[in-house]
Amino acid sequence: MKKTYKIEVDCANCANKMEEAANRTPGVKKATVNFMMLKMIVEFEEGQNPASVMKEVLKNCRKVEDDCEIYF
């Protein structure tokens, strides 16, 4: 399952760090961040609860970029 989320991030480098953090999160098959559109597209692994996984994605993203925001 794929879902698109609105994000708030300050720069392209920070967006890349968020993408890497999201891809390291258990339950995420693939995550892509589009800085220009301020969107994150997340493909979840089979059987995962997107809301639970996104809470972990946000935690991981805030470790690398503490003022980022993901709206889900």
Side-chain angles (χ1 to χ4, degrees), residues 36-54:
M36 296 302 289
M37 300 290 290
L38 292 177
K39 292 186 178 182
M40 177 185 282
I41 301 167
V42 181
E43 185 176 353
F44 299 95
E45 292 177 355
E46 192 68 36
Q48 295 295 318
N49 177 345
S52 298
V53 173
M54 287 308 294

Side-chain angles (χ1 to χ4, degrees), residues 7-24 31-36 38-40 57-58 60-70:
I7 62 169
E8 209 172 282
V9 64
D10 299 329
C11 68
N13 186 45
C14 299
N16 286 336
K17 290 179 182 179
M18 285 179 65
E19 182 175 293
E20 290 169 3
N23 277 306
R24 287 192 304 266
T32 306
V33 172
N34 183 322
F35 172 67
M36 296 302 289
L38 292 177
K39 292 186 178 182
M40 177 185 282
V57 167
L58 181 58
N60 289 340
C61 286
R62 284 195 173 153
K63 288 178 186 173
V64 295
E65 188 57 37
D66 62 352
D67 65 345
C68 73
E69 190 61 64
I70 303 171

